[in-house]
Amino acid sequence: MTEAGRVVHKFGGTSLADPGCFRRVARILAAWPEPRQVVVVSAMGGTTDTLVHAVELAASRDDSYRDVLEGLCVRHSDTIRELLPSEAAGPVIAAIDRDMGDILDVLRAAMLLRGFSRDTMELVTGYGEVWSAQILAALLSTLGVDTEWLDAREVLTVQRNSRDVDVDWAASRERISEWTNRHRTAPTLVITGFIASTEDGVAATLGRNGSDFSASIFAALLDATEIHIWTDVDGVMSANPRLVSEAVTLDTLSYDEAMELAYFGAKVIHPSTMAPAVERALPIYIRNTFKPDLPGTRIHATSSSAFPVKGLATIEDIALLNLEGTGMIGVPGTAHRLFGALRDEGISVVMISQGSSEHSICFAVPNALAERARAAVEQAFFAEQHHGQIQRVDVTTDCSILAVVGEGMAGRPGVAARFFSSLGKAGINLRAIAQGSSERNISVVVNGSDTQRALRAAHAGFYLSEQTLSIGLVGAGNVGGTLLGQLQQQARRLKHEFDLDLRIRGIATSSKMLLSEQPIDLEHWRDQLEESGELPDLAKFAMHVHADHLPHAVLIDCTASDDVARLCGTWLERGIHVITPNKRANTGTIEYYRRLRQANRAEGAHYLYETTVGAALPIIQTLHDLVQTGDEIDQIEGILSGTLSYLFNRLDETHSFSSLVEEARRLGFTEPDPREDLCGTDVARKTVILAREMGIPLELSDVATTSLVPESLRDGSVDDFMAALPAFDAEMEARRREAADRGEVLRFVGSIGRDGAASVALRGYPQSHPFARIQLTDNIVLFRTQRYRDNPLVIQGPGAGREVTAAGVFADLLRLAAYLGAPV
Ligand code: ASP
Ligand code: MG
């Protein structure tokens, strides 16, 4: 029978676990564009295990095997009744009942014989596939898909060997063409996986998980063009997703890569089961039954993926043995004796490494075999040890092997460098290294306790952008919340254009915090914080954000809190970058300020705070550039508060001071308590920040600050304050008029001179002065320097507001990314 163009589908037990699963599978098949298809099925999930259990119970004379079988029978007939109309259900249920009768007979014999043969076990355990195939075939027929089912025991012929079976291809081919001649060929053929029979017609199985093998055998027998293995994962992953949350689904793999990964326990089909497909160069797809729209992983002769490395895997519970001594140098036959001794003990060696000095040979075996291996080696080299030619046999247990697999590594320099540098950066100690000359696999031995960290670090080295930033935001109010919105809008573009991967992995407010392994969905962070937020704990928060497996960590402090500011030093010292519009850290003691700057230098952690003065206006950066290029600052003078800027820009004979405070408060330009703006401390803090940036060790208490809050109104409630303020309007109006008479306007200004004299006060400025010509909540800063002597450098513009402040923090984040190497 030649059925060129046919696809073989194989559905595993989890894809056929219940009626819903059968319907899902039927939908996939009914929607398949090519009508002729071969469908190889496993038993309903768990059935084979249950049958094995029943055999064992019977053999141990436990007659509860009957209940076990009864349960299986009920599960199948319930499934059938739910899926099929009664006229279709009847014959299938009857067939299963007959099979159950046979099984009961066989198991009764096992019970009487107090044991079971291989024949018994293989006969009984194969029934699950016979049932699932009939159910699926009947379901497809009722859906109008023209379907036949085939009991593989009628055609697939095998010879048993001591471990499993060999396929008798000639006999199988002959029997399948006989079968085809006897049956009409329906376009869709459902075939039992797992089972076969011997030449004498004895039921056999292909070994546990044998249905994959069935799929590739039938693909060969029926000349199919491709195989789709449907399972419950999206495809072959780059690493175990339970250990590496960043693991990705691989688009393609070569057969050889798939075999390497299968050895490491990746969820790939077993190498031997692929042989018939590999011989015919059939592509094999690993696909998810539950997400049929995904393309899955394509396994073929060659793989064209862009990644040089495909998978990373670990083997745990490994012991490393090291045989060391001068007596081995240049002596032929040492390795022969060593591994011969291990062979005689039946110990299979997992990895071998010998340096070309031949001074030592090191090899890895499973932990459990370590002592036997040591004894065997010591015995083999007894004489040498006795004569001191071999010093010792060291055994280190509880190690792990970490391997990277990928054909693209062959002949490509730099892959190993990347692997080792990611491990080095994560501080992982390598105990042994091996790479075969096929260059398809590099394996290293690490301490068992480092396994997951090593795997994650190496995975990040190959699969993540070098500019992957793990970000935690503390404070999600006006500025923080707006920042998240801006990030949400730009993140995708930044990733695409600059390979800059900004991952918000934590958000903390004063009442809750949200930690997430995967980037937080910035469209729904508020709901998520509400629903799954936990009590805030900033130590835990920082630890989470500072993840080993992501290249860089950043904490953004968008609070106005002293407590958070006090943590910045520790964060920086741990190598976490810090970005903040919070003035508190920079205006603490000068010692703390120095510590922040020092940590920056020592740990390579960047500390960015442009928005602490004038929001996003480039004030800090400009000052920094002036100082670092050797200019000398004579004086900095500025209107540094948007609130106070507004009040004095609007003050005239028609607007009293108190009415303007009232208005500004209504517009949200002031703090809830306007005295916090009027007292001048905010301006004094900004003055301190600028002074320190100039290199002057100023403390907040050194700034001569003249408060605008009348002495008698400093205590008491906000309402009392607002009510009493008009009484002071006359005084303010007098000052204004006095200034106006001199041709001046009043401005609230912070100033710092090169001698360190710092003041914050209300002063008069002539109409021609830049301070007289500003608007609304503008900030303005004048730099008088050696280079800008005749005419000052002026920076002016809106210096407050959530949008611009958030954008300023965002800009600091991009500046950080640029420092880290992003091409932004
Ligand atoms: N049902 C068999 C087992 O569980 C074969 C298979 O599912 O591949 O081992
Ligand atoms: Mg600024």
Side-chain angles (χ1 to χ4, degrees):
M1 175 168 80
T2 306
E3 292 285 343
R6 269 198 182 188
V7 168
V8 169
H9 298 277
K10 179 259 167 176
F11 291 93
T14 48
S15 300
L16 298 168
D18 57 34
C21 286
F22 274 95
R23 283 199 197 95
R24 193 173 295 116
V25 167
R27 268 200 304 276
I28 291 172
L29 294 171
W32 200 260
E34 163 63 53
R36 294 175 312 152
Q37 42 197 341
V38 177
V39 186
V40 174
V41 293
S42 288
M44 285 181 76
T47 303
T48 314
D49 287 334
T50 310
L51 289 168
V52 170
H53 185 50
V55 175
E56 287 165 352
L57 284 174
S60 64
R61 301 185 67 88
D62 180 341
D63 67 6
S64 66
Y65 72 84
R66 293 168 177 283
D67 304 329
V68 171
L69 287 177
E70 179 59 24
L72 211 49
C73 197
V74 169
R75 180 171 171 216
H76 280 81
S77 36
D78 284 353
T79 303
I80 293 165
R81 278 194 207 94
E82 195 176 325
L83 288 173
L84 302 176
S86 52
E87 63 288 2
V92 185
I93 293 179
I96 294 181
D97 280 343
R98 274 196 306 278
D99 292 340
M100 282 292 176
D102 291 346
I103 296 175
L104 282 169
D105 289 347
V106 173
L107 293 192
R108 192 172 146 66
M111 183 141 130
L112 294 172
L113 292 167
R114 298 168 186 257
F116 58 86
S117 64
R118 182 171 174 179
D119 284 351
T120 304
M121 184 56 109
E122 296 195 11
L123 170 69
V124 173
T125 52
Y127 275 106
E129 273 72 8
V130 176
W131 302 330
S132 63
Q134 289 178 80
I135 297 172
L136 183 63
L139 176 62
L140 286 168
S141 299
T142 62
L143 294 175
V145 180
D146 190 358
T147 311
E148 258 312 283
W149 83 281
L150 164 60
D151 182 338
R153 290 175 299 193
E154 288 183 47
V155 297
L156 180 51
T157 314
V158 295
Q159 274 134 24
R160 284 187 178 150
N161 58 38
S162 59
R163 284 178 56 203
D164 39 48
V165 296
D166 300 312
V167 177
D168 184 337
W169 289 97
S172 300
R173 229 175 236 115
E174 197 174 308
R175 287 170 76 186
I176 202 162
S177 72
E178 274 167 24
W179 188 90
T180 326
N181 291 337
R182 269 186 285 118
H183 291 75
R184 73 186 178 91
T185 28
T188 296
L189 185 58
V190 177
I191 305 181
T192 55
F194 186 46
I195 56 174
S197 61
T198 64
E199 219 179 339
D200 322 326
V202 177
T205 60
L206 306 184
R208 291 311 303 268
N209 302 313
S211 297
D212 288 337
F213 192 20
S214 305
S216 71
I217 295 169
F218 279 102
L221 288 175
L222 298 170
D223 290 324
T225 50
E226 50 188 54
I227 303 178
H228 293 246
I229 306 280
W230 295 87
T231 170
D232 56 352
V233 294
D234 293 350
V236 183
M237 309 281 295
S238 54
N240 182 342
R242 267 172 292 136
L243 300 178
V244 183
S245 55
E246 276 73 35
V248 296
T249 307
L250 300 169
D251 51 353
T252 68
L253 276 179
S254 70
Y255 293 133
D256 290 333
E257 290 170 333
M259 291 197 204
E260 289 269 358
L261 286 174
Y263 168 75
F264 288 103
K267 245 195 162 182
V268 194
I269 48 178
H270 198 274
S272 66
T273 68
M274 287 196 283
V278 173
E279 250 167 58
R280 285 166 185 76
L282 301 184
I284 302 169
Y285 295 82
I286 309 290
R287 304 190 55 176
N288 193 341
T289 314
F290 302 86
K291 297 183 209 158
D293 295 334
L294 297 181
T297 301
R298 180 178 199 265
I299 305 175
H300 201 202
T302 56
S303 110
S304 53
S305 182
F307 292 113
V309 157
K310 290 304 172 44
L312 292 106
T314 52
I315 311 179
E316 290 178 57
D317 298 325
I318 288 291
L320 200 57
L321 280 83
N322 193 39
L323 180 66
E324 198 163 319
T326 45
M328 302 189 325
I329 300 175
V331 179
T334 309
H336 173 81
R337 272 165 62 205
L338 171 62
F339 295 114
L342 294 169
R343 180 206 53 213
D344 293 345
E345 267 298 304
I347 295 171
S348 164
V349 175
V350 184
M351 194 185 115
I352 303 170
S353 169
Q354 182 194 322
S356 57
S357 75
E358 303 181 43
H359 184 248
S360 68
I361 301 184
C362 135
F363 61 96
V365 299
N367 255 342
L369 302 179
E371 273 317 309
R372 269 175 57 204
R374 182 220 293 269
V377 174
E378 282 183 342
Q379 201 183 356
F381 290 92
F382 180 78
E384 283 85 347
Q385 236 182 333
H386 185 71
H387 293 113
Q389 288 148 331
I390 281 178
Q391 274 80 40
R392 58 181 175 270
V393 182
D394 289 326
V395 180
T396 316
T397 50
D398 299 320
C399 295
S400 292
I401 293 181
L402 165 63
V404 283
V405 171
E407 231 135 57
M409 300 197 291
R412 184 184 310 200
V415 176
R418 190 126 159 220
F419 182 41
F420 294 128
S421 84
S422 338
L423 293 173
K425 270 193 246 159
I428 309 281
N429 181 37
L430 305 185
R431 292 183 158 273
I433 301 173
Q435 180 194 318
S437 62
S438 77
E439 302 182 48
R440 205 181 294 128
N441 173 329
I442 305 177
S443 296
V444 297
V445 177
V446 301
N447 291 335
S449 54
D450 285 340
T451 312
Q452 183 167 8
R453 258 175 3 97
L455 178 64
R456 287 176 147 209
H459 189 271
F462 288 112
Y463 279 93
L464 293 183
S465 153
E466 293 262 335
Q467 280 79 47
T468 301
L469 274 60
S470 168
I471 304 172
L473 175 71
V474 186
N478 273 341
V479 173
T482 308
L483 174 65
L484 291 177
Q486 293 177 352
L487 281 167
Q488 189 215 331
Q489 278 164 22
Q490 303 304 322
R492 188 191 282 268
R493 183 184 57 82
L494 291 169
K495 176 81 179 69
H496 183 74
E497 278 182 34
F498 307 113
D499 199 21
L500 173 60
D501 196 347
L502 301 175
R503 303 185 170 196
I504 307 289
R505 296 177 63 253
I507 298 175
T509 66
S510 52
S511 58
K512 278 192 167 172
M513 73 174 183
L514 177 65
L515 303 181
S516 166
E517 271 307 321
Q518 296 303 324
I520 295 171
D521 173 3
L522 294 184
E523 208 168 333
H524 302 111
W525 67 268
R526 278 178 212 278
D527 299 337
Q528 276 188 47
L529 182 67
E530 196 48 49
E531 280 159 27
S532 32
E534 47 190 294
L535 283 179
D537 171 350
L538 286 183
K540 184 174 171 195
F541 187 81
M543 208 143 78
H544 171 82
V545 173
H546 193 203
D548 285 318
H549 60 292
L550 297 173
H552 312 283
V554 193
L555 285 165
I556 302 178
D557 169 16
C558 281
T559 69
S561 146
D562 269 320
D563 293 338
V564 181
R566 266 194 289 274
L567 295 170
C568 291
T570 322
W571 292 342
L572 286 164
E573 280 155 10
R574 278 207 255 143
I576 304 174
H577 308 289
V578 174
I579 296 174
T580 186
N582 180 2
K583 293 176 281 288
R584 300 295 170 134
N586 269 2
T587 55
T589 62
I590 188 75
E591 287 75 27
Y592 189 60
Y593 175 78
R594 289 201 176 116
R595 201 181 131 199
L596 297 174
R597 301 301 301 266
Q598 193 58 40
N600 180 357
R601 221 164 298 149
E603 308 303 324
H606 294 278
Y607 174 45
L608 298 167
Y609 46 86
E610 177 64 78
T611 46
T612 53
V613 179
L617 297 180
I619 295 170
I620 301 286
Q621 185 65 43
T622 303
L623 178 52
H624 178 265
D625 291 349
L626 291 174
V627 172
Q628 296 310 326
T629 58
D631 202 350
E632 280 173 35
I633 318 287
D634 292 324
Q635 197 205 19
I636 301 175
E637 202 182 2
I639 295 175
L640 302 170
S641 154
T643 317
L644 293 163
S645 176
Y646 180 81
L647 293 177
F648 291 101
N649 289 343
R650 299 266 287 142
L651 188 68
D652 60 21
E653 62 274 11
T654 60
H655 295 94
S656 69
F657 188 67
S658 65
S659 72
L660 289 170
V661 172
E662 184 75 60
E663 179 184 275
R665 188 165 177 243
R666 208 175 49 244
L667 293 172
F669 291 171
T670 69
E671 295 296 324
D673 184 346
R675 284 172 292 190
E676 286 177 31
D677 298 298
L678 298 173
C679 72
T681 309
D682 175 64
V683 178
R685 283 188 191 280
K686 290 167 178 163
T687 307
V688 168
I689 294 173
L690 295 176
R692 289 176 174 181
E693 203 66 31
M694 285 165 67
I696 299 171
L698 201 74
E699 296 285 357
L700 191 55
S701 54
D702 297 332
V703 184
T705 306
T706 322
S707 171
L708 292 175
V709 183
E711 212 39 89
S712 58
L713 303 186
R714 296 211 173 143
D715 305 318
S717 74
V718 181
D719 289 339
D720 292 346
F721 167 72
M722 293 304 288
L725 194 57
F728 293 85
D729 281 341
E731 201 178 298
M732 185 61 88
E733 176 56 14
R735 287 186 73 177
R736 190 197 65 78
R737 191 179 300 275
E738 214 177 286
D741 289 347
R742 290 197 306 269
E744 290 180 355
V745 293
L746 293 178
R747 294 293 183 258
F748 194 77
V749 169
S751 126
I752 171 84
R754 68 184 306 173
D755 56 355
S759 67
V760 168
L762 191 64
R763 298 201 184 93
Y765 290 86
Q767 291 292 347
S768 59
H769 192 277
F771 286 0
R773 295 191 304 255
I774 60 168
Q775 292 177 8
L776 299 170
T777 60
D778 272 1
N779 281 20
I780 180 166
V781 180
L782 304 189
F783 296 92
R784 290 200 178 79
T785 76
Q786 287 300 301
R787 291 183 192 139
Y788 294 94
R789 194 177 1 203
D790 302 335
N791 209 6
L793 172 63
V794 182
I795 296 172
Q796 177 193 342
R802 61 173 86 176
E803 284 289 335
V804 290
T805 309
V809 176
F810 195 171
D812 268 349
L813 188 59
L814 295 184
R815 200 165 300 135
L816 170 66
Y819 293 156
L820 301 175
V824 282

